[in-house]
């Protein structure tokens, strides 16, 4: 039921803006709704089954309660199945007689008369009404009493061919219509419907449309009233030769009929005939076939006769169109056969040409293979030459960088030694041997020189290998990468790895250069290896950093 409500809500929102949409989209919406017919019918069947369970519960339901429950079942079946609605009306008549309740009995008789009249059994409906004494009817039932007479005589006057009988029925129709109008609230839908019908009969279309709009504004899609009022509006547009709006409101009426599971309907049949007259035979056939299925479910003989006459015309046109299509298909098949033969000859010709070219292709293939092999050899040779050239270039670059750096270092150290010599001489000349001895005891001079050495080494190395730090971190596990302090260019771990990159793999040599113990260098190397993604190949990978 939730799915049903969601569908009806979305459908109503889309249809309420029909004025801004085109007819084609509305017809597509109708066909989507047609495919959901079983869904809406199953929802109705579920509601009826739930009501039937209440009837069968004899412990909790009295006979009078059963009467009102059956009334609900009749309302469900009234536009869905004539036979089932008739069965339950007759069942309620029996209950009313058992209860000896005159009001309920008259109410059921009026429901029976209404069912007969609205299903096209006009004479039978009037016969039932004639058995009811009007003075015995409660005031509340008089309105339905007159309405049933209006329906019955309206139908008889329309379908009767004998002119004198037609006039008599028309006169009776007018009499009961006047009686009904006196009982109705002027603003009720029934009163407005009678006014609209009178305006329509008098061809006052503009005023009739105004009344219809007033009625339609009070209704919702998916109800029998909405289906009826939109159908009557389509009739008005038909009289006004407005085919487009007529089709739109017939489509709206049909959508409402399907969502409300109304099987006693006429809108889809009328829409099918209009489309048939416009040449849309396939859609007309689909709609009329759908209407026939609904009519069979409802079992309305009058409706079935009307549809059958239209069905035969549409079916004949549909068959003729199919025959025309078959004839066209035969022609197309003939054309395709001729084209297929032509294609076969073409394929044979091409096959011969392919065979002739086959030997030439084989020779070309061999030549191409030989050329490919030569190209591959040349490519390998070029790659080797490029590699050697790059290696030589890098070697020269390293040599130039280191030669320049160490020439500067040696020059600086000669200058520092000369300065240190002069300072010692001055101290000795000045007999400051004690101060000189204290100066030689301090390691500050060595530490300062060591820091200068580290700075020169770090800058020189990173100048040659600018991506060294990033490449090393790429070889380490996530979270184990080396992070430098703010003022550091390289730290001890990176300097050890830098010397390894330069070819110094002996820990004792590294310790002498960096002035650490051999064990300290060894421990650093083990620690870094343990942080590597691949411990076994880590130092070899470092040597390959460019």
């Amino acid at each position: 039921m939730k799915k049903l409500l969601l569908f009806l809500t979305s459908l109503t929102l889309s249809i309420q803006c029909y004025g801004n949409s085109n007819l084609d989209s509305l017809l597509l919406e109708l066909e989507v709704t047609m495919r959901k017919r079983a869904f809406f019918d199953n929802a109705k069947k579920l509601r009826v089954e739930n009501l039937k369970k209440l009837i069968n519960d004899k412990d909790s339901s009295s006979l009078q309660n059963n009467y009102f429950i059956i009334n609900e079942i009749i309302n469900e079946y009234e536009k869905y199945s004539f036979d089932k609605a008739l069965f339950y009306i007759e069942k309620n008549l029996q209950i009313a007689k058992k209860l000896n309740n005159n009001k309920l009995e008259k109410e059921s008789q009026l429901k029976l008369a209404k069912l007969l009249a609205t299903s096209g059994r006009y004479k039978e409906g009037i016969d039932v009404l004639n058995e009811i004494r009007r003075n015995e009817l409660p005031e509340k039932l008089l309105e339905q009493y007159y309405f049933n007479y209006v329906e019955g005589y309206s139908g008889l006057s329309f379908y009767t061919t004998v002119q004198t009988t037609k006039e008599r029925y028309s006169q009776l129709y007018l009499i009961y219509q006047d009686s009904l109008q006196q009982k109705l609230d002027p603003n009720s839908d029934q009163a407005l419907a009678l006014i609209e019908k009178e305006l329509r009969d008098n061809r006052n279309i503009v005023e009739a449309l105004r009344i219809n709009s007033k009625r339609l504004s009070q209704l919702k899609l998916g109800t029998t009233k909405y289906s009826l009022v939109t159908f009557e509006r389509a009739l008005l547009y038909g009289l006004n030769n407005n085919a487009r709006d007529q089709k739109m409101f017939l489509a709206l009426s049909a959508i409402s009929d399907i969502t409300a599971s109304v099987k006693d309907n006429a809108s889809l049949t009328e829409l099918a005939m209009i489309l048939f007259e416009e040449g849309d035979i396939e859609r007309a056939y689909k709609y009329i076939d759908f209407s026939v299925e609904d009519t069979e479910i409802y079992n309305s003989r009058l409706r079935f006769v009307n549809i059958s006459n239209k069905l035969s015309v549409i079916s004949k046109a549909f068959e003729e169109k199919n025959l025309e299509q078959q004839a066209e298909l035969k022609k197309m098949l003939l054309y395709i056969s001729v084209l297929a033969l032509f294609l076969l000859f073409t394929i044979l010709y091409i096959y011969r040409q392919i065979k002739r070219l086959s030997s030439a292709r084989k020779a070309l293939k061999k030549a191409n293979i030989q050329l490919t092999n030569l190209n591959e050899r040349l490519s390998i040779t070029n790659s080797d030459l490029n590699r050697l050239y790059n290696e030589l270039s890098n070697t020269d670059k390293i040599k130039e960088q280191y030669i320049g750096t160490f020439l500067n270092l040696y020059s600086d150290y000669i200058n520092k030694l000369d300065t240190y010599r002069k300072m010692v001489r001055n101290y000795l000349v000045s007999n400051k041997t004690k101060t000189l001895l204290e100066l030689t005891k301090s390691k500050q001079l060595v530490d300062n020189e060591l820091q200068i050495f580290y700075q020169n080494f770090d800058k020189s190395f990173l100048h040659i290998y600018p991506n060294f730090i990033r490449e090393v971190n790429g070889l380490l596990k996530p979270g184990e990468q080396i992070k430098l302090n703010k003022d550091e260019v390289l730290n001890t771990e990176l300097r050890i790895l830098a010397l390894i990159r330069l070819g110094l793999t002996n820990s004792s040599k590294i310790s002498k250069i960096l002035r650490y113990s051999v064990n300290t260098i060894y421990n650093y190397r083990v620690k870094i290896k343990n942080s590597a993604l691949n411990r076994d190949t880590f130092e070899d990978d470092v040597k390959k950093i460019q």
Side-chain angles (χ1 to χ4, degrees):
M1 291 301 294
K2 289 181 180 178
K3 289 181 179 178
L4 175 61
L5 289 171
L6 286 171
F7 177 79
L8 285 174
T9 302
S10 62
L11 189 62
T12 304
L13 288 173
S14 63
I15 290 173
Q16 283 176 347
C17 60
Y18 66 89
N20 298 324
S21 63
N22 55 41
L23 177 62
D24 289 337
S25 63
L26 190 58
L27 292 178
L28 289 173
E29 192 72 43
L30 169 59
E31 287 165 15
V32 170
T33 310
M34 288 167 65
R35 289 194 289 272
K36 293 180 177 289
R37 174 172 60 179
F39 173 78
F40 296 115
D41 290 353
N42 288 335
K44 177 177 280 293
K45 290 174 183 176
L46 181 62
R47 292 195 299 272
V48 173
E49 288 302 317
N50 289 334
L51 290 170
K52 288 180 180 178
K53 288 177 183 177
L54 296 175
I55 294 174
N56 294 331
D57 190 0
K58 296 179 181 178
D59 295 334
S60 60
S61 299
S62 65
L63 201 59
Q64 189 166 354
N65 285 341
N66 281 349
Y67 177 89
F68 293 113
I69 293 168
I70 290 171
N71 259 352
E72 293 299 319
I73 295 174
I74 292 167
N75 291 336
E76 293 287 347
Y77 278 138
E78 185 177 11
K79 294 293 183 181
Y80 183 79
S81 172
F82 172 82
D83 295 332
K84 291 179 180 178
L86 179 61
F87 171 79
Y88 282 102
I89 289 173
E90 290 179 336
K91 193 168 185 176
N92 257 2
L93 273 170
Q94 294 172 4
I95 291 173
K97 288 176 181 178
K98 286 180 183 179
L99 293 171
N100 197 25
N101 188 321
N102 182 63
K103 179 181 177 297
L104 297 183
E105 184 178 350
K106 299 303 180 189
E107 183 182 77
S108 293
Q109 284 180 308
L110 290 174
K111 282 184 178 292
L112 176 59
K114 179 185 176 184
L115 178 68
L116 293 169
T118 54
S119 64
R121 296 165 174 84
Y122 305 112
K123 189 65 173 68
E124 295 176 57
I126 290 174
D127 289 342
V128 172
L129 291 171
N130 289 336
E131 293 176 1
I132 300 172
R133 294 182 180 178
R134 184 171 56 185
N135 55 3
E136 294 179 359
L137 284 174
E139 187 67 24
K140 290 183 179 180
L141 297 180
L142 282 175
E143 184 179 313
Q144 186 62 52
Y145 175 77
Y146 291 131
F147 174 80
N148 290 343
Y149 266 122
V150 168
E151 285 290 309
Y153 283 121
S154 174
L156 286 174
S157 65
F158 182 80
Y159 287 104
T160 301
T161 55
V162 179
Q163 188 60 34
T164 54
T165 308
K166 181 185 285 288
E167 290 175 359
R168 182 165 59 87
Y169 286 149
S170 296
Q171 189 176 2
L172 289 169
Y173 162 76
L174 293 172
I175 291 170
Y176 282 108
Q177 180 179 262
D178 290 340
S179 300
L180 178 60
Q181 283 179 328
Q182 292 176 12
K183 294 290 180 184
L184 292 174
D185 178 358
N187 294 319
S188 67
D189 182 73
Q190 279 191 348
L192 293 174
L194 291 174
I195 295 170
E196 182 184 331
K197 184 178 184 303
E198 186 176 351
L199 291 168
R200 185 173 68 238
D201 292 341
N202 294 326
R203 298 298 186 268
N204 189 346
I205 306 302
V206 174
E207 187 62 22
L209 284 170
R210 188 186 67 78
I211 297 295
N212 184 275
S213 297
K214 185 177 180 181
R215 295 172 64 198
L216 195 57
S217 65
Q218 301 170 3
L219 302 173
K220 292 183 180 180
L221 184 140
T223 61
T224 54
K225 279 286 186 183
Y226 185 93
S227 303
L228 177 62
V229 174
T230 47
F231 177 75
E232 290 173 347
R233 191 174 187 87
L235 294 179
L236 292 170
Y237 283 124
L239 294 172
N240 207 25
N241 295 320
N242 187 341
R244 181 182 178 279
D245 286 345
Q246 183 185 13
K247 287 184 287 186
M248 287 184 66
F249 278 92
L250 285 173
L252 287 169
S253 178
I255 291 170
S256 183
D257 280 333
I258 297 166
T259 54
S261 289
V262 174
K263 303 303 178 185
D264 183 24
N265 56 68
S267 52
L268 197 58
T269 305
E270 292 301 317
L271 181 58
M273 284 305 298
I274 294 171
L275 293 173
F276 169 71
E277 290 169 1
E278 292 177 349
D280 193 349
I281 296 172
E282 290 185 10
R283 187 171 261 167
Y285 181 79
K286 185 195 300 183
Y287 291 177
I288 200 74
D289 187 60
F290 190 93
S291 296
V292 169
E293 292 174 4
D294 275 356
T295 303
E296 288 175 347
I297 294 172
Y298 183 75
N299 190 24
S300 171
R301 287 175 293 181
L302 178 63
R303 190 80 68 196
F304 190 76
V305 170
N306 289 337
I307 292 177
S308 296
N309 294 334
K310 296 171 182 178
L311 177 64
S312 61
V313 176
I314 295 175
S315 295
K316 184 178 179 182
F318 186 72
E319 289 174 4
E320 289 175 355
K321 186 174 181 180
N322 282 339
L323 290 173
E324 289 177 4
Q325 289 177 344
Q326 288 176 8
E328 289 295 324
L329 285 173
K330 287 178 181 178
K331 290 179 182 179
M332 293 301 295
L333 183 61
L334 181 61
Y335 296 149
I336 291 170
S337 299
V338 172
L339 288 173
L341 288 172
F342 177 75
L343 182 61
L344 180 61
F345 287 123
T346 305
I347 290 170
L348 290 173
Y349 175 77
I350 292 170
Y351 178 72
R352 289 180 180 178
Q353 293 298 319
I354 289 171
K355 287 187 71 177
R356 291 177 183 177
L357 293 172
S358 179
S359 57
R361 286 182 178 176
K362 288 179 181 178
L364 286 172
K365 186 176 181 182
K366 289 180 181 178
N368 284 331
I369 291 170
Q370 292 174 353
L371 287 172
T372 301
N373 291 334
L374 289 172
N375 285 330
E376 287 176 355
R377 291 175 186 174
L378 287 172
S379 178
I380 293 169
T381 304
N382 286 331
S383 297
D384 291 339
L385 289 172
N386 286 330
R387 180 175 56 79
L388 289 171
Y389 176 78
N390 290 331
E391 289 177 357
L392 289 171
S393 297
N394 289 332
T395 303
D396 290 341
K397 183 180 178 182
I398 291 170
K399 287 179 179 179
E400 291 170 2
Q401 179 70 23
Y402 272 100
I403 288 169
T405 301
F406 283 105
L407 285 174
N408 289 330
L409 284 173
Y410 280 128
S411 177
D412 288 343
Y413 277 118
I414 290 168
N415 291 331
K416 288 177 181 179
L417 284 171
D418 186 53
T419 303
Y420 191 71
R421 180 187 62 79
K422 291 177 180 179
M423 181 188 71
V424 171
R425 182 176 176 278
N426 290 332
Y427 275 107
L428 290 173
V429 170
S430 305
N431 290 320
K432 295 179 180 180
T433 55
K434 188 175 180 180
T435 305
L436 181 62
L437 182 62
E438 291 297 324
L439 183 65
T440 57
K441 288 180 181 180
S442 173
K443 291 180 64 179
Q444 183 63 39
L445 183 63
V446 175
D447 290 340
N448 291 339
E449 291 300 322
L450 188 60
Q451 288 300 318
I452 293 169
F453 167 73
Y454 286 158
Q455 290 173 5
N456 287 328
F457 175 80
D458 294 349
K459 290 178 181 178
S460 298
F461 182 80
L462 289 179
H463 181 73
I464 298 169
Y465 301 103
N467 298 321
F468 183 75
I469 298 172
R470 179 170 57 81
E471 294 292 336
V472 167
N473 280 329
L475 298 173
L476 300 177
K477 296 176 182 176
E480 300 288 338
Q481 282 86 1
I482 297 171
K483 296 181 179 178
L484 297 170
N485 293 327
K486 183 177 180 182
D487 297 329
E488 286 183 327
V489 179
L490 294 177
N491 59 15
T492 304
E493 290 95 332
L494 288 170
R495 291 189 189 105
I496 292 169
L497 294 175
L499 291 171
I500 291 171
R501 173 64 187 88
L502 295 173
L504 296 173
T505 58
N506 191 297
S507 294
S508 62
K509 291 182 179 180
I510 296 173
S511 68
K512 289 178 181 178
I513 293 171
L514 297 180
R515 301 185 67 81
Y516 287 102
S517 69
V518 175
N519 286 335
T520 301
I521 298 299
Y522 177 77
N523 289 335
Y524 271 119
R525 292 177 74 172
V526 170
K527 180 183 176 183
I528 298 171
K529 280 186 179 181
N530 290 335
S531 300
L533 292 170
N534 192 334
R535 189 180 186 282
D536 296 334
T537 64
F538 175 68
E539 290 189 356
D540 291 333
D541 294 335
V542 170
K543 292 176 185 178
K544 297 175 183 177
I545 292 174
Q546 297 297 323

